[in-house]
Amino acid sequence: MNYSHMTPSALAELMGDRIKQYRLNCNKSQDDIAMIAGVTRQRIARAEAGKATMETFMALMLALDATDYIDSFLPPTPISPIQLSKLKGKERVRASSSRTIGDNAAQQEDDLGW
């Protein structure tokens, strides 16, 4: 199904319907899920109507043991090489050569006129 033509509120209602159907398929009442999620039954009802905060939605997914579907819902995306290079900034290409203390130190003193 193409969801790009739907409004955000229509998508929220669709997600609420799916949460409700998932809850019913698990044979759980709104009160059962509310107790497990640590929210009120009214919050569950509002979520099923598509009016939930992200935190409530995640609490419902935890209570329904449906968090394994998060990757299907929004799969992780790797950082592109261009983004990675921008995040790194400038890296040192090489280190300066090592200097010996002794002859070079005496020579530096002479060069400075000390």
Side-chain angles (χ1 to χ4, degrees), residues 31 74 110:
D31 288 326
L74 192 62
D110 290 340

Side-chain angles (χ1 to χ4, degrees), residues 10 15-16 28 31 36 41 50 58 61 65 73 75 86 88 98 113:
M15 294 303 296
K28 304 254 184 193
D31 288 326
I36 295 168
R41 190 198 58 74
M58 290 299 118
M61 290 191 69
D65 197 27
F73 170 65
K86 286 180 181 178
K88 281 188 173 182
S98 62

Side-chain angles (χ1 to χ4, degrees), residues 1-105:
M1 181 171 189
N2 185 1
Y3 300 106
S4 61
H5 69 281
M6 296 176 74
T7 64
S9 60
L11 284 169
E13 286 179 30
L14 177 69
M15 294 303 296
D17 288 341
R18 290 191 180 183
I19 284 286
K20 180 179 182 177
Q21 191 59 53
Y22 195 88
R23 176 183 60 79
L24 292 172
N25 289 346
C26 291
N27 199 27
K28 304 254 184 193
S29 69
Q30 286 183 342
D31 288 326
D32 294 338
I33 297 300
M35 189 171 64
I36 295 168
V39 297
T40 63
R41 190 198 58 74
Q42 288 81 10
R43 284 184 113 180
I44 304 298
R46 287 183 52 76
E48 290 180 356
K51 296 180 179 9
T53 63
M54 182 65 73
E55 189 173 339
T56 300
F57 189 78
M58 290 299 118
L60 282 170
M61 290 191 69
L62 285 166
L64 291 167
D65 197 27
T67 54
D68 291 339
Y69 298 112
I70 291 175
D71 283 340
S72 298
F73 170 65
L74 192 62
T77 55
I79 296 177
S80 73
I82 293 171
Q83 286 274 350
L84 190 60
S85 68
K86 286 180 181 178
L87 289 175
K88 281 188 173 182
K90 290 189 175 186
E91 286 186 23
R92 255 181 106 166
V93 178
R94 62 182 173 161
S96 60
S97 62
S98 62
R99 298 184 178 147
T100 59
I101 301 175
D103 290 339
N104 283 347

